[in-house]
Amino acid sequence: MAGERAIHFAMFILLLVGLCGISLWACYKYIEEGEILKMASTAFIWGVILTTLYLGFKKLGWRWWS
């Protein structure tokens, strides 16, 4: 059980870091005007990524955080 939780945690962290890194790169590359717009879009995308990952893990029944 502990090994499975560690694998789920590692998957979550790796997906989170990878997706957030890609979104950060895309925001800073394709949004040319306004630092506020870059920060807001980055925060929004990261929120969407976290929500999607959470709902995906919840739907699959992986409850490693409890």
Side-chain angles (χ1 to χ4, degrees):
M1 184 68 161
E4 186 178 353
R5 290 178 112 177
I7 290 170
H8 291 165
F9 180 73
M11 286 172 55
F12 180 79
I13 294 299
L14 290 172
L15 284 170
L16 181 65
V17 169
L19 291 172
C20 289
I22 290 169
S23 68
L24 182 66
W25 170 79
C27 286
Y28 277 82
K29 179 160 177 74
Y30 295 110
I31 298 176
E32 296 179 7
E33 296 179 15
E35 288 297 315
I36 297 293
L37 184 59
K38 288 180 183 179
M39 288 187 284
S41 60
T42 302
F44 176 72
I45 290 169
W46 287 6
V48 169
I49 289 169
L50 278 173
T51 303
T52 304
L53 288 175
Y54 172 75
L55 292 174
F57 274 100
K58 187 175 179 180
K59 185 161 182 87
L60 292 171
W62 294 350
R63 295 175 33 181
W64 54 269
W65 52 80
S66 62

